[in-house]
Amino acid sequence: MKRYETFDHRADIGIRGYGKSVEEAFENGAKAMFSVMVDINDVKPVDKEDIDCEAPDLETLFVEWLNNLLSNAHLNGMLFCSFKVEINANKLRGSAWGERLEKHTNHLMTEVKAATYSMLKVVKEDDGYIAQCIVDV
Amino acid sequence: MEIKSLKKISDYIWEIPAEDEMRVPGRIFASEGLVEELDDNVVNQIKNVACLPGIQQASIAMPDAHWGYGFPIGGVAAFDPDEGGVISMGGIGFDISCGVRTMRTGMSREEIQPDIDKLVNRLFAIVPAGVGSEGKIRLNPQQIDEVLISGAQWAISKGYGYKEDLRFIEEGGIMDGADPSKVSDMAKKRQFREVGTLGSGNHYLEIQYVAEVYDEEVSQVFGLYRDDVVVSVHCGSRALGHQIGTDYLKTLAEASRKYNIPIRERELVCAPINSPEGRKYFSAVCAGINCALANRQVISHLVREAFSDVVPKARISILYDVSHNTCKIEEHPVEGKLKKLYIHRKGSTRAFGPGRREIPEEYSSAGQPVLIGGTMGTCSYILVGTDTGMKHAFGSACHGAGRALSRTQAKKKWRGDVLLRELASKGIIIRAHSFSGAAEEAPGAYKDVTEVVDATHKAGLAKKVVMLKPMACIKG
């Protein structure tokens, strides 16, 4: 089964994570987002950052999670490649692993400005969950 | 888009009649060809904006309109706070006050050409660009507050430019109403090392020459003559603006629920202008505008440094600096009554006609310079604001070409390194921090800027003054 992917949008890029659980779909959604910036297979999960956030519903929680990751990555000069998420009553406790951005400055692609509400969806399908939205690049 | 569903007002003005919950009609300024190419999503977004409380006159789309977040990119809407008007995130965007600044160099193409390689290399070396790039300036929390209050004036007080520059920047380089306390610590921290950086994506710094003059009289007022070399910078408020957007996305989502505002699309989250949330967001947006103005001012200084190193004869002066992702308080007549309105321009350039007090004295008789960036390797335009644009579109014009192909489609179609070689064979030097980023920005991935500008001109929103062609371009 596909774990994450990006999809086409006229001006920007869509990101999508699949998972057996909502948590896994959120983790893979984060991978999809960072794959817009860098080949995440080249990034080593050396340093860890913790990220907690909450929102009134699961869909906005997904956008919150992604935007918190972007802020944290930018502030600490990091690129993330691996994620762990726990969700309880629309409260998320997450961790992200990655390494310093300087190690990858030669093959960075596009900067993601923010995750948006556009085409935002967190849904259960037959064989698992999908979490997706458009990111502004 | 089915053109039959629109009411034709003129060859370049199309109306979506007000229906259902629409408070005003939709108005599209475009040629028949551009209207036919319009995505149905754009039409829906124009309609959705027309449903927002307090909207005045019409929900407007520019010739380069494309599918955006809530508002179309290329969308303009005016709201009256006294009629329950709102301030909406979708009408401003994440890159607050993204805009274009064009500078004269006092040099001709012939004079610059021998040194062009050296000049581009120097600019590439000293103007930080690309994902994760940092500027030389390091700020602390108190200093960032000064940036957010004083905009370009802050930069000048630190030696980045001359006082004279300020008059040729919208708002005189300082946006009133900015309140740094309404900007989160996270937003400020993210900006500590970002002032004076170009960014990535469609942001660029370009050395251009005047290739065509359409309006001799106005071009003289702007101090532009055939073969003159100019430098244009396209960038915005960087991480600080993005973080303000992210922070207020949440605040405005709550406010939309709290005030029970009927929004048809989640990205239209908004708050009444006259509410604590609305006032707070507006103050933060003004701070974001100042951040962008300071940013472009510092970059201008770096441009001056590079020129003085390589071609010391050059004299860099600001032609104008105009933002295309903003919400600003402006006075406009509506049904014969002068009103103070909150004008949202998302991917639309302010284009004030002659005589407006906001325009620098030197340009007052002609109108405001309207700076339209083309795509890498094609051409850019300078237009001038008109009375017609004031009447029909609150003094607004297009902002660029608008994408025709998605980034993924562009990357499949072009390879960055091959593309750069092709442009080089046409005599255009490109320095890019990312090959794949360059491929995404391939000229073929955009609508034809000339068609967009011609439609703007023919609709009367702004008049063509000169066309600029690139000599060299630096991409993030």
Side-chain angles (χ1 to χ4, degrees), chain B residues 51-65:
Chain B
C51 300
L52 293 174
I55 187 165
Q56 304 291 303
Q57 205 166 302
S59 166
I60 297 165
M62 292 291 134
D64 51 340

Side-chain angles (χ1 to χ4, degrees), chain B residues 208-243:
Chain B
Q208 307 156 324
Y209 69 95
V210 177
E212 296 259 10
V213 176
Y214 305 103
D215 190 324
E216 295 276 351
E217 209 175 305
V218 179
S219 72
Q220 278 179 30
V221 173
F222 291 170
L224 292 172
Y225 301 88
R226 189 179 294 274
D227 283 331
D228 275 2
V229 171
V230 299
V231 177
S232 293
V233 178
H234 176 223
C235 65
S237 48
R238 310 289 297 115
L240 182 126
H242 310 164
Q243 188 67 40

Side-chain angles (χ1 to χ4, degrees), chain B residues 174-225:
Chain B
I174 314 162
M175 186 73 205
D176 280 342
D179 181 353
S181 76
K182 305 295 185 281
V183 177
S184 71
D185 287 343
M186 177 60 103
K188 292 176 190 175
K189 276 189 208 155
R190 288 183 65 186
Q191 194 66 20
F192 287 167
R193 293 171 295 188
E194 295 252 314
V195 174
T197 62
L198 201 55
S200 67
N202 62 358
H203 294 160
Y204 61 78
L205 187 156
E206 202 163 78
I207 303 173
Q208 307 156 324
Y209 69 95
V210 177
E212 296 259 10
V213 176
Y214 305 103
D215 190 324
E216 295 276 351
E217 209 175 305
V218 179
S219 72
Q220 278 179 30
V221 173
F222 291 170
L224 292 172
Y225 301 88

Side-chain angles (χ1 to χ4, degrees), chain B residues 80 116 292 294 296 314 350 354 366 405-406 419:
Chain B
D80 184 347
I116 190 81
R296 289 198 285 271
R350 181 146 95 179
L405 293 183
S406 75
L419 181 75

Side-chain angles (χ1 to χ4, degrees), chain B residues 199-357:
Chain B
S200 67
N202 62 358
H203 294 160
Y204 61 78
L205 187 156
E206 202 163 78
I207 303 173
Q208 307 156 324
Y209 69 95
V210 177
E212 296 259 10
V213 176
Y214 305 103
D215 190 324
E216 295 276 351
E217 209 175 305
V218 179
S219 72
Q220 278 179 30
V221 173
F222 291 170
L224 292 172
Y225 301 88
R226 189 179 294 274
D227 283 331
D228 275 2
V229 171
V230 299
V231 177
S232 293
V233 178
H234 176 223
C235 65
S237 48
R238 310 289 297 115
L240 182 126
H242 310 164
Q243 188 67 40
I244 291 174
T246 301
D247 293 335
Y248 279 92
L249 193 61
K250 219 169 132 187
T251 313
L252 295 178
E254 284 158 19
S256 306
R257 275 193 295 272
K258 178 176 161 191
Y259 297 103
N260 210 5
I261 302 168
I263 51 170
R264 288 216 213 163
E265 214 182 334
R266 182 144 45 170
E267 303 137 272
L268 283 174
V269 289
C270 55
I273 294 160
N274 285 333
S275 70
E277 295 86 350
R279 278 190 287 269
K280 217 173 127 184
Y281 178 48
F282 183 68
S283 306
V285 168
C286 291
I289 292 174
N290 279 329
C291 178
L293 297 180
N295 200 35
R296 289 198 285 271
Q297 184 63 36
V298 172
I299 292 174
S300 306
H301 177 76
L302 300 175
V303 169
R304 279 182 168 131
E305 269 187 11
F307 271 79
S308 95
D309 289 350
V310 181
V311 272
K313 224 182 100 195
R315 289 286 168 271
I316 308 280
S317 60
I318 316 295
L319 172 71
Y320 204 57
D321 179 306
V322 66
S323 302
H324 46 233
N325 283 348
T326 57
C327 175
K328 290 185 171 176
I329 305 174
E330 296 169 10
E331 280 185 347
H332 291 274
V334 178
E335 286 159 11
K337 200 175 143 203
L338 197 62
K339 289 182 161 189
K340 213 174 239 183
L341 302 173
Y342 283 63
I343 312 288
H344 292 61
R345 292 189 184 88
K346 172 70 193 104
S348 163
T349 312
R350 181 146 95 179
F352 278 169
R356 282 287 294 213
R357 63 178 165 79

